[in-house]
Amino acid sequence: MTESWANSADVGADLHVEPAPGRGLKAGLAEALREAVRGGRLAPGARLPSSRSLAADLGIARNTVAEAYAELVAEGWLTARQGSGTRVAPRARPRKAAAAPAVRPPTRQGRAAYSLLPGSPDLGGFPRAAWLTAARRALTDAPNEAFGYGDPRGRVELREALAGYLARARGVYADPERIVLCAGFVQGLMLMARVLRRRRVREVAVESYSLDVHRDLLTAEGLRTRPLLLDAAGARTPDLSGLAAGAVLLTPAHQFPTGVALTPERRAAAVDWARASGGVILEDDYDGEFRYDRQPVGALQSLDPDRVVYLGTASKSLAPGLRLGWMVVPPGLLDEVLAARGRVDWTSSALEQLTLAQFITSGAYDRHVRGMRLRYRRRRDQLVAAVGGRVAVSGIAAGLHAVLDLPAGTERAVLQAAAWHSLALDGLSGFRHPDAVMPARDALVVGYGTPPDSAWTPTLAALSSTLP
């Protein structure tokens, strides 16, 4: 095989690389660079030539080199940052021997300098002092039996506190006896999937744009998922009557990821379907407390508490690391949910439950939510100002994410540009149900709750540099 030497003053050393044969220039170059990293010839932190310089040395088009670099940045083999050039990623370790497997690329957040990935609050906003005060009071007041195995539904103190809060803030009909505490939304969904399976439900309708982890969980429990199309009014719930689904999973207050709210007519249609078919509605109220243009819309569960399973979590309002979630279960399903849980107690620790109960009853939770609502509203306003009208911001003013609509056919290119700016971003297409039959839509799902305050301004600058 003939070898090419790429010499560049901006590297400080010769780069011995040749595109792998039979793959095309871009794919061949990318594979050659991967192999150089795997074999240790390119060490972590080593700087690569500029795309212009390497293209000149290899006698190929600059765009070919740029695309190969972008692919490797997206995979985690390389990093690209303005002023620092393109380098081998710090986590890209060489193999120790020829037989050793290649190292998996690091996660998106692990390799990016900035992140606007959705799904996380600003962790720096966690109320440490107020939480510590609540924890001390909870520990002091905890009865001895709180340190035992306890009720499979969770601590009664938290269930009572949640019943009052959810009724007041979200309009939920919540008897403490029907609240089941769990380790976040995913565990609650898993329990409901088991209940549905035991009821011989075979299919669950899900929104056509939704989290794949939720769809995968349902599939792992033996349920098929059917896409329910979305439009500006939310999920097209009147279409439920044409599906064979025995349940539907909805995010009515603030649809994830498109950002729309389910209209009153669509809410009523969902309840009518459940009553007529005997189906179950699973309501994911993951960020329903954060509405910025008006008072938050109440939960769908209030329309029919006997047909709707309400699932909430502290993951967005406080922090996902607490592993605190709750289900408000219809009376006819409670025994089945507890049976699905079995003998293993998967709730978070009793002390964390008691702390949250104290945090709520003391008023600290309301104060924290109000403060974070103001913070996220300012961030959303700053995001809208930063994009400067170059792209439209769609969806309601709510939650921890916004959708930036892009010109048709540009989503992939924008994500590649984001990788070059070391900015972690999600495209809307990544949330699309594989069976959904609908026109393609190019957009970004921007999680403005994720960056810490110290990184917020440079993160917006990176986003602005990425947009067309």
Side-chain angles (χ1 to χ4, degrees):
M1 180 175 66
T2 304
E3 296 180 332
S4 298
W5 288 86
N7 306 310
S8 176
D10 55 35
V11 177
D14 291 329
L15 178 59
H16 190 178
V17 66
E18 181 191 16
R23 301 284 302 276
L25 286 177
K26 187 195 80 170
L29 178 58
E31 181 54 30
L33 290 170
R34 287 191 201 96
E35 185 57 31
V37 175
R38 291 191 192 107
R41 292 192 294 109
L42 287 177
R47 185 172 181 179
L48 274 64
S50 67
S51 58
R52 183 188 303 276
S53 176
L54 184 57
D57 290 339
L58 293 176
I60 60 178
R62 181 185 179 187
N63 283 347
T64 300
V65 178
E67 289 173 4
Y69 278 3
E71 181 175 321
L72 296 178
V73 168
E75 292 176 0
W77 294 100
L78 306 179
T79 62
R81 192 176 305 177
Q82 284 184 328
S84 182
T86 303
R87 296 178 181 271
V88 178
R91 294 188 182 182
R93 295 287 184 255
R95 59 191 176 198
K96 296 181 179 180
V103 179
R104 294 182 63 187
T107 62
R108 292 173 299 173
Q109 284 182 310
R111 67 170 175 259
Y114 311 110
S115 175
L116 287 170
L117 296 176
S120 177
D122 177 4
L123 301 180
F126 184 78
R128 295 170 187 250
W131 186 261
L132 181 59
T133 299
R136 286 172 173 162
R137 176 62 62 85
L139 183 59
T140 300
D141 295 346
N144 291 337
E145 54 88 14
F147 300 98
Y149 290 104
D151 192 313
R153 291 169 297 183
R155 291 299 306 175
V156 65
E157 295 91 340
L158 180 53
R159 289 188 282 117
E160 290 176 345
L162 283 170
Y165 174 78
L166 294 174
R168 171 172 51 82
R170 303 297 299 126
V172 173
Y173 289 91
D175 184 334
E177 297 300 307
R178 295 194 291 108
I179 293 178
V180 178
L181 304 178
C182 49
F185 172 82
V186 167
Q187 191 207 12
L189 181 60
M190 182 176 66
L191 291 174
M192 282 310 307
R194 291 181 178 179
V195 169
L196 294 172
R197 186 61 178 164
R198 291 175 183 179
R199 285 189 160 209
R200 300 187 183 279
V201 170
R202 298 184 182 277
E203 295 185 1
V204 177
V206 298
E207 294 156 330
S208 54
Y209 285 103
S210 54
L211 279 171
D212 57 354
V213 66
H214 295 167
R215 301 194 301 262
D216 291 345
L217 185 151
L218 294 170
T219 301
E221 292 294 333
L223 299 166
R224 301 179 66 182
T225 61
R226 294 295 185 191
L228 188 63
L229 298 185
L230 290 158
D231 56 29
R236 288 165 43 173
T237 52
D239 295 348
L240 284 168
S241 58
L243 301 178
V248 59
L249 174 59
L250 297 171
T251 51
H254 185 219
Q255 202 281 325
F256 186 87
T258 64
V260 299
L262 195 64
T263 62
E265 295 77 14
R266 297 282 177 86
R267 289 174 171 235
V271 171
D272 290 344
W273 164 82
R275 290 171 177 170
S277 67
V280 178
I281 300 172
L282 308 177
E283 179 178 11
D284 180 3
D285 196 32
Y286 73 101
D287 67 357
E289 296 144 314
F290 296 114
R291 184 78 185 253
Y292 312 127
D293 57 348
R294 53 177 290 181
Q295 285 294 109
V297 176
L300 173 64
Q301 187 260 11
S302 64
L303 296 180
D304 195 336
D306 292 333
R307 293 291 178 187
V308 180
V309 179
Y310 176 90
L311 297 108
T313 175
S315 295
K316 304 301 183 290
S317 57
L318 285 167
L322 294 177
R323 307 313 307 143
L324 286 166
W326 44 87
M327 309 165 64
V328 182
V329 183
L333 287 173
L334 181 59
D335 288 342
E336 295 174 69
V337 169
L338 295 178
R341 165 166 277 175
R343 297 182 179 180
V344 179
D345 184 5
W346 287 350
T347 58
S348 55
S349 78
L351 287 178
E352 296 293 349
Q353 294 177 44
L354 292 171
T355 299
L356 180 57
Q358 174 65 29
F359 199 70
I360 293 173
T361 56
S362 69
Y365 188 77
D366 284 89
R367 291 191 293 273
H368 172 71
V369 168
R370 285 196 298 270
M372 296 307 292
R373 190 181 292 136
L374 291 174
R375 177 185 295 203
Y376 293 139
R377 179 175 182 171
R378 284 195 297 269
R379 284 199 172 188
R380 190 180 190 279
D381 290 345
Q382 291 164 349
L383 170 66
V384 173
V387 302
R390 287 183 290 167
V391 295
V393 181
S394 62
I396 62 174
L400 310 183
H401 79 278
V403 177
L404 308 186
D405 290 301
L406 300 172
T410 64
E411 180 182 304
R412 183 175 180 179
V414 171
L415 292 177
Q416 289 178 334
W420 275 99
H421 288 89
S422 201
L423 173 64
L425 273 178
D426 271 335
L428 182 63
S429 61
F431 299 96
R432 179 175 174 145
H433 193 291
D435 297 333
V437 180
M438 56 195 302
R441 179 182 173 188
D442 290 78
L444 300 175
V445 183
V446 177
Y448 51 78
T450 302
D453 284 344
S454 60
W456 177 236
T457 298
T459 299
L460 282 183
L463 175 65
S464 181
S465 300
T466 293
L467 296 176

Short mmCIF file of all heavy atoms in Angstrom, two decimals, residues 273-295:
data_model
loop_
_atom_site.label_atom_id
_atom_site.label_comp_id
_atom_site.label_asym_id
_atom_site.label_seq_id
_atom_site.Cartn_x
_atom_site.Cartn_y
_atom_site.Cartn_z
N TRP A 273 -62.24 8.57 24.81
CA TRP A 273 -61.71 7.28 24.31
C TRP A 273 -61.50 6.31 25.46
O TRP A 273 -61.87 5.12 25.36
CB TRP A 273 -60.39 7.51 23.58
CG TRP A 273 -59.61 6.25 23.38
CD1 TRP A 273 -59.78 5.32 22.41
CD2 TRP A 273 -58.54 5.76 24.23
NE1 TRP A 273 -58.89 4.28 22.58
CE2 TRP A 273 -58.12 4.52 23.68
CE3 TRP A 273 -57.91 6.25 25.37
CZ2 TRP A 273 -57.09 3.77 24.25
CZ3 TRP A 273 -56.89 5.50 25.94
CH2 TRP A 273 -56.49 4.28 25.39
N ALA A 274 -60.92 6.77 26.56
CA ALA A 274 -60.65 5.88 27.69
C ALA A 274 -61.95 5.33 28.27
O ALA A 274 -62.04 4.15 28.61
CB ALA A 274 -59.85 6.63 28.77
N ARG A 275 -62.95 6.18 28.39
CA ARG A 275 -64.22 5.73 28.94
C ARG A 275 -64.90 4.72 28.01
O ARG A 275 -65.48 3.72 28.46
CB ARG A 275 -65.14 6.92 29.18
CG ARG A 275 -64.69 7.82 30.32
CD ARG A 275 -65.50 9.10 30.36
NE ARG A 275 -65.12 9.94 31.50
CZ ARG A 275 -65.54 11.19 31.67
NH1 ARG A 275 -66.34 11.76 30.77
NH2 ARG A 275 -65.16 11.88 32.73
N ALA A 276 -64.86 4.98 26.71
CA ALA A 276 -65.55 4.12 25.76
C ALA A 276 -64.84 2.79 25.57
O ALA A 276 -65.49 1.75 25.37
CB ALA A 276 -65.70 4.84 24.41
N SER A 277 -63.52 2.79 25.62
CA SER A 277 -62.75 1.58 25.30
C SER A 277 -62.26 0.83 26.53
O SER A 277 -61.81 -0.31 26.42
CB SER A 277 -61.53 1.96 24.45
OG SER A 277 -60.61 2.75 25.21
N GLY A 278 -62.32 1.47 27.70
CA GLY A 278 -61.73 0.87 28.89
C GLY A 278 -60.22 1.05 28.94
O GLY A 278 -59.53 0.41 29.74
N GLY A 279 -59.70 1.92 28.08
CA GLY A 279 -58.26 2.15 28.02
C GLY A 279 -57.76 2.99 29.18
O GLY A 279 -58.53 3.57 29.95
N VAL A 280 -56.44 3.05 29.32
CA VAL A 280 -55.79 3.78 30.42
C VAL A 280 -54.95 4.91 29.83
O VAL A 280 -54.22 4.71 28.84
CB VAL A 280 -54.88 2.84 31.25
CG1 VAL A 280 -54.16 3.60 32.35
CG2 VAL A 280 -55.72 1.70 31.85
N ILE A 281 -55.05 6.08 30.43
CA ILE A 281 -54.22 7.22 30.03
C ILE A 281 -53.08 7.36 31.04
O ILE A 281 -53.31 7.43 32.25
CB ILE A 281 -55.03 8.52 29.99
CG1 ILE A 281 -56.18 8.41 28.98
CG2 ILE A 281 -54.13 9.71 29.64
CD1 ILE A 281 -57.15 9.58 29.04
N LEU A 282 -51.85 7.38 30.55
CA LEU A 282 -50.67 7.62 31.37
C LEU A 282 -50.24 9.06 31.14
O LEU A 282 -49.81 9.41 30.05
CB LEU A 282 -49.55 6.64 31.00
CG LEU A 282 -49.92 5.15 30.98
CD1 LEU A 282 -48.72 4.32 30.53
CD2 LEU A 282 -50.40 4.69 32.34
N GLU A 283 -50.36 9.88 32.17
CA GLU A 283 -50.05 11.31 32.04
C GLU A 283 -48.67 11.59 32.63
O GLU A 283 -48.45 11.44 33.82
CB GLU A 283 -51.09 12.16 32.76
CG GLU A 283 -50.79 13.65 32.68
CD GLU A 283 -51.83 14.53 33.34
OE1 GLU A 283 -52.70 13.98 34.05
OE2 GLU A 283 -51.78 15.76 33.16
N ASP A 284 -47.75 12.00 31.76
CA ASP A 284 -46.40 12.39 32.18
C ASP A 284 -46.39 13.89 32.37
O ASP A 284 -46.35 14.65 31.41
CB ASP A 284 -45.39 11.96 31.11
CG ASP A 284 -43.96 12.32 31.46
OD1 ASP A 284 -43.74 12.86 32.57
OD2 ASP A 284 -43.06 12.08 30.63
N ASP A 285 -46.42 14.34 33.63
CA ASP A 285 -46.47 15.77 33.94
C ASP A 285 -45.08 16.23 34.38
O ASP A 285 -44.90 16.77 35.47
CB ASP A 285 -47.50 16.02 35.05
CG ASP A 285 -47.89 17.48 35.17
OD1 ASP A 285 -47.88 18.19 34.15
OD2 ASP A 285 -48.19 17.91 36.30
N TYR A 286 -44.10 16.01 33.49
CA TYR A 286 -42.69 16.13 33.89
C TYR A 286 -42.25 17.55 34.20
O TYR A 286 -41.34 17.75 35.00
CB TYR A 286 -41.79 15.53 32.81
CG TYR A 286 -41.68 16.37 31.56
CD1 TYR A 286 -40.57 17.15 31.34
CD2 TYR A 286 -42.68 16.39 30.61
CE1 TYR A 286 -40.45 17.94 30.22
CE2 TYR A 286 -42.58 17.16 29.47
CZ TYR A 286 -41.48 17.94 29.29
OH TYR A 286 -41.38 18.72 28.17
N ASP A 287 -42.84 18.57 33.59
CA ASP A 287 -42.44 19.95 33.91
C ASP A 287 -43.65 20.89 33.92
O ASP A 287 -43.55 22.05 33.57
CB ASP A 287 -41.36 20.46 32.95
CG ASP A 287 -41.86 20.63 31.51
OD1 ASP A 287 -43.04 20.28 31.25
OD2 ASP A 287 -41.09 21.08 30.65
N GLY A 288 -44.79 20.33 34.36
CA GLY A 288 -46.04 21.09 34.30
C GLY A 288 -46.07 22.34 35.15
O GLY A 288 -46.92 23.21 34.96
N GLU A 289 -45.16 22.47 36.13
CA GLU A 289 -45.16 23.63 37.00
C GLU A 289 -44.53 24.86 36.35
O GLU A 289 -44.67 25.98 36.86
CB GLU A 289 -44.39 23.32 38.29
CG GLU A 289 -45.04 22.24 39.14
CD GLU A 289 -44.02 21.35 39.83
OE1 GLU A 289 -43.08 20.91 39.15
OE2 GLU A 289 -44.18 21.09 41.02
N PHE A 290 -43.84 24.66 35.22
CA PHE A 290 -43.08 25.76 34.62
C PHE A 290 -43.79 26.28 33.36
O PHE A 290 -43.56 25.80 32.25
CB PHE A 290 -41.66 25.31 34.28
CG PHE A 290 -40.86 24.93 35.50
CD1 PHE A 290 -40.45 23.62 35.69
CD2 PHE A 290 -40.53 25.87 36.46
CE1 PHE A 290 -39.71 23.26 36.81
CE2 PHE A 290 -39.80 25.52 37.58
CZ PHE A 290 -39.39 24.22 37.77
N ARG A 291 -44.68 27.24 33.55
CA ARG A 291 -45.34 27.93 32.46
C ARG A 291 -45.07 29.41 32.64
O ARG A 291 -45.18 29.94 33.75
CB ARG A 291 -46.86 27.65 32.48
CG ARG A 291 -47.66 28.25 31.33
CD ARG A 291 -47.52 27.46 30.06
NE ARG A 291 -48.18 28.11 28.93
CZ ARG A 291 -49.32 27.69 28.38
NH1 ARG A 291 -49.93 26.61 28.87
NH2 ARG A 291 -49.85 28.31 27.35
N TYR A 292 -44.69 30.11 31.56
CA TYR A 292 -44.19 31.47 31.70
C TYR A 292 -45.11 32.55 31.13
O TYR A 292 -44.99 33.71 31.50
CB TYR A 292 -42.81 31.58 31.02
CG TYR A 292 -41.89 30.46 31.42
CD1 TYR A 292 -41.25 29.68 30.47
CD2 TYR A 292 -41.70 30.15 32.77
CE1 TYR A 292 -40.43 28.63 30.84
CE2 TYR A 292 -40.89 29.10 33.14
CZ TYR A 292 -40.24 28.34 32.18
OH TYR A 292 -39.44 27.29 32.55
N ASP A 293 -46.01 32.18 30.24
CA ASP A 293 -46.87 33.19 29.62
C ASP A 293 -48.24 33.26 30.28
O ASP A 293 -49.06 34.10 29.93
CB ASP A 293 -47.02 32.91 28.13
CG ASP A 293 -47.57 31.52 27.85
OD1 ASP A 293 -47.61 30.69 28.77
OD2 ASP A 293 -47.96 31.26 26.69
N ARG A 294 -48.51 32.38 31.23
CA ARG A 294 -49.79 32.32 31.91
C ARG A 294 -49.67 31.36 33.09
O ARG A 294 -48.62 30.76 33.30
CB ARG A 294 -50.90 31.84 30.96
CG ARG A 294 -50.53 30.54 30.27
CD ARG A 294 -51.64 30.01 29.38
NE ARG A 294 -52.77 29.54 30.16
CZ ARG A 294 -53.87 29.01 29.63
NH1 ARG A 294 -53.99 28.93 28.33
NH2 ARG A 294 -54.84 28.59 30.39
N GLN A 295 -50.74 31.21 33.86
CA GLN A 295 -50.73 30.23 34.93
C GLN A 295 -50.65 28.82 34.34
O GLN A 295 -51.23 28.56 33.28
CB GLN A 295 -52.01 30.34 35.77
CG GLN A 295 -52.02 31.55 36.71
CD GLN A 295 -50.97 31.43 37.77
OE1 GLN A 295 -49.97 32.15 37.75
NE2 GLN A 295 -51.16 30.53 38.71
#
